[in-house]
Amino acid sequence: MLESNSIPILKLKEFLIVSIQTDLHDRMAEQLQYDILNRISETSAKGVLIDISALEMVDSFIGRTLADTAKMAATLDADIVIVGMNPAVAITLVELGLSLEGVYTALNLDEGYELLQKITTADGEDIQNPDSEDSVVEDMNEPGSD
Amino acid sequence: MSEKGIKNFNKRIEAIEEILAAAAGGDFAAQIDIDMDAADLLTSVETGINLLIADLGEEVQESRKRADDLAEKLELIEKQRKAIEELSTPIIKIWDEVLVLPLIGALDTRRSQKLTESLLTEIALTQSKIAILDITGVPGVDSAVANHLLKTVSSVKLLGAHCVVTGIRPEVAQTIVHLGVDLSDVETLSNLSEGLKWAFRHLKLMAEARKS
Amino acid sequence: MNLVRIKEERDIVVARSAAKKIAQEMGFGLVDQTRISTAVSELARNIYLYAGQGEVHIEADCNPRSGLRITFTDQGPGIADIKLAMTDGWSSVKSMGKGLPGAARLSDHMEIQSELGKGTTVIIEKWLPE
């Protein structure tokens, strides 16, 4: 395995794009969290797309790290959308007892991008709160309160 | 002594022991040779043993047959169970990006795991945004079934699609509330046509948001 | 039979990859492979977090049903209250507290033997579908 611990974070306009292409070990996941938060802070990005379609396994540590990163990003005024989770990973995560509540998800990068545009351009304070029930945006793609 | 008047006593006792040993080993075919012309005290014992072993042999054969029948029936049931499992999990693509899963029959852990697996695979394959789970045909919705449904809904959400559960009969609604199952995170509707309306409304909203 | 020694955090990845590979070779479906590698990840991490080091044995074929048996052993502090450790959300160090109960839910069978001050052995089994 390569010693390099960093996963590239690309900037596209006001968004960041991360594609995880390798099996994450714990320190790598923590490093990624740190890097994403730093890039948000540097670039004032409004949203982050994290593509996990290549991840064959998400255990409780990686799951929690992803969910925490989303919460931390929200305090920096950025939304995170997790994109392309494998069916087997989703089933296993739920059986493990993790449903990543409050985290936005999308089927693919296209959908994730559209979702980010919607949640970051929608007016009002509840953009930051995935559990709010009022806005049209939340009604459409909000993860927590369906 | 007791051996008085009994011919070949030791030999005959040995024969009895042999026959009993054979029977104990599962062989009921052998019988004790009895010389009816020279009947004595031991002859009635020998006759009795022969009858007993013959009866036992029949019984054993009978019960073996029953066991075979039972195994055959169990095999048949297993085959039918598999057939039902396959028959009862159709996933219908009813509209672009909308899947319907009409659930029929009891939902146990194993079946709901299989269902979830096929549904999620289909969602990923067709990139469908909405899955409608219709539970009209599921009898006895209890807390276990409700929890299975919750898990399915949660995993659909993780994929980035939406899930709505339809076909909640009034008594099912009552049971769910009585059991204290929290379905507030799940979009539930009374019937499939309401579910379809919900899906279309949803798709329209998304399309409109896309235009703006 | 396959043995992975857990000494550092990266060995967690080695253990789960090895388990997944064997599961795949045995004919487990993709979802079961994922369940297995995730359970191994949780339990191997437990070794790393609680005991510092230990071993993961991965064996194909277990009686009475064919499947995979994975044994996690360490000479760590042991578990004082197994029942409590099996409770969702309970954790004595920085972790989710999903490890043991989560791994149990992902397996078909789980056994735990633990002695305070001596160590812990956790065995999980995943059976091939008939």
Side-chain angles (χ1 to χ4, degrees), chain B residues 41-156:
Chain B
L41 275 172
L42 200 56
T43 311
S44 55
V45 176
E46 288 169 336
T47 318
I49 288 171
N50 273 350
L51 281 173
L52 199 70
I53 284 174
D55 282 354
L56 226 93
E58 270 170 41
E59 274 300 323
V60 166
Q61 215 167 5
E62 192 86 346
S63 83
R64 269 187 201 143
K65 204 172 152 267
R66 274 198 295 267
D68 285 349
D69 285 352
L70 200 66
E72 216 170 275
K73 274 183 191 137
L74 282 175
E75 205 177 304
L76 185 70
I77 290 170
E78 182 62 19
K79 263 190 209 156
Q80 285 170 338
R81 193 188 56 74
K82 278 188 183 148
I84 290 169
E85 230 169 54
E86 278 162 26
L87 280 175
S88 58
T89 54
I91 299 172
I92 304 154
K93 188 179 171 187
I94 202 157
W95 203 261
D96 278 349
E97 308 182 321
V98 183
L99 299 177
V100 173
L101 187 67
L103 297 175
I104 292 155
L107 265 191
D108 55 13
T109 309
R110 184 195 161 111
R111 194 170 160 226
S112 78
Q113 278 182 353
K114 277 194 136 181
L115 280 172
T116 309
E117 200 176 325
S118 352
L119 177 63
L120 264 66
T121 311
E122 196 63 23
I123 289 173
L125 201 69
T126 58
Q127 297 285 292
S128 296
K129 289 200 190 93
I130 294 168
I132 304 174
L133 292 181
D134 186 77
I135 62 163
T136 314
V138 180
V141 177
D142 55 12
S143 55
V145 172
N147 279 322
H148 291 323
L149 288 172
L150 275 173
K151 278 189 178 173
T152 310
V153 172
S154 303
S155 42
V156 168

Side-chain angles (χ1 to χ4, degrees), chain C residues 28-43:
Chain C
F28 279 102
L30 186 59
V31 179
D32 274 344
Q33 288 173 32
T34 310
R35 287 188 179 112
I36 291 164
S37 64
T38 309
V40 170
S41 192
E42 300 295 337
L43 296 173

